[in-house]
Amino acid sequence: MASTAHTEVKGDNFHVTEEPHHEGHSTVIGFWIFLMQDMLLFCGLFAIFAWLGGHYANGPAPLDDGTGQPLFHLTPVAINTVIMMVSAFTCSMGMVNIRKENVGAALRFFGITALLGLGFLFMQYREAVNMAAVGATIQTSAFLASFFVIIFTHCLHVIAGLVWFVVLAVQINLHGLDDANERRAVCFSMFWNFLDITWVIVFVFVYLMGVLK
Amino acid sequence: MSNHPEVHVHEHADAGGLGYGTQQSYLTGLGLAAALSAAALGLAAVGSIGTIQTTALILTAIAIARVYIHAVFFLRIRSTDEGGWTAITTIFTLITVVIAMVGSIWIMLHQEINMMPMPGTDAFRGM
């Protein structure tokens, strides 16, 4: 930031005076900028899908997997949407308890969030297995390649969130709810909310728009 | 530390701000998000209303509303957070996203229209 240092004129010399900042003063804005660039990564993937999403190479398509059945089943997708939505809520409730310094309740809410994240990953795994069973893999067509890259990238983010939860829980158990752990909890909550926002875009633009007829 | 009250988590506690909503705002956000998601799902399950283009536009509007609700009720983004830097980076990102999405789709679809149909592609079947 421009305000972190200012110059003073003393005689003929210019001095840069460093102002002291407490640790972590720029963590939230820094993490926000990270999330924004992560959004640009997803934006690139969505732009690729917008172009390649209709290139089925005579293979499986969202409404017909080759056997007359739809490739995209809305029920598991709806379940995943509910899972992400509820987990964003439980994660935010964890933050309410962090603010009240209610560590046990906060960790329980974050734990529920992580369990919902595991459930989400399981649903995504099942979907990929079911798709592979009808010959729809990442190598089948440009449509499926761009589709699976989006899904895998999102799942990698969910896995990162789960690892973050474990690390956060260990840190809070070791050091209690100090300022550093509170910052980590804020960032975890921002990250998990970002996962839900990304999933909403996948849900609408990839799945729902794919099954319009 | 007291020189920077706006960035200290404890002192933000009751002021809202990034990552600091209330249980009430989270419940409102969850309700609105559930309603919008159900509407989008219902629309897609019906197939489409009117033309595919109309339905796609409605779905896009629902998605934008859903992201906006998330930003307001869950993330609690305010234009004054971090001295305005969150708002500036968000606006910058949105501009970049719009340029990248619109630009890519525009260029690639035009490129596609001008391509020769090749054996094995969907366009070739129409020949």
Side-chain angles (χ1 to χ4, degrees), chain B residues 8-58:
Chain B
H8 192 260
V9 277
H10 283 292
E11 290 162 58
H12 244 338
D14 296 305
L18 265 182
Y20 281 88
T22 60
Q23 186 170 347
Q24 189 53 47
S25 80
Y26 296 146
L27 279 170
T28 315
L30 184 67
L32 288 171
L36 283 174
S37 300
L41 191 70
L43 203 55
V46 166
S48 60
I49 52 169
T51 60
I52 284 191
Q53 282 77 16
T54 323
T55 320
L57 272 179
I58 298 172

Side-chain angles (χ1 to χ4, degrees), chain A residues 61-125:
Chain A
L63 282 168
D64 183 5
D65 64 5
T67 64
Q69 294 294 311
L71 185 68
F72 286 174
H73 294 281
L74 285 186
T75 314
V77 175
I79 293 172
N80 266 347
T81 304
V82 172
I83 288 179
M84 281 319 286
M85 202 162 61
V86 173
S87 74
F89 174 73
T90 55
C91 184
S92 300
M93 286 307 294
M95 275 316 297
V96 169
N97 284 292
I98 288 276
R99 198 178 54 188
K100 290 178 185 160
E101 314 235 329
N102 206 342
V103 180
L107 281 180
R108 271 195 296 283
F109 271 115
F110 285 154
I112 296 170
T113 309
L115 282 179
L116 288 167
L118 273 180
F120 177 86
L121 287 178
F122 174 72
M123 295 295 289
Q124 293 292 75
Y125 168 77

Side-chain angles (χ1 to χ4, degrees), chain A residues 6 28 43:
Chain A
H6 63 88
V28 171
C43 165

Side-chain angles (χ1 to χ4, degrees), chain A residues 157-212:
Chain A
H157 279 75
V158 175
I159 293 169
L162 294 180
V163 172
W164 194 328
F165 162 71
V166 173
V167 173
L168 181 68
V170 169
Q171 289 277 356
I172 289 181
N173 273 319
L174 284 179
H175 306 293
L177 193 60
D178 54 11
D179 282 355
N181 281 336
E182 192 161 340
R183 281 199 304 275
R184 288 172 188 135
V186 172
C187 291
F188 172 70
S189 151
M190 282 160 69
F191 184 73
W192 201 274
N193 276 294
F194 172 77
L195 291 183
D196 184 36
I197 289 180
T198 321
W199 176 254
V200 167
I201 299 170
V202 176
F203 170 63
V204 171
F205 287 101
V206 175
Y207 287 100
L208 294 190
M209 289 201 180
V211 299
L212 294 183

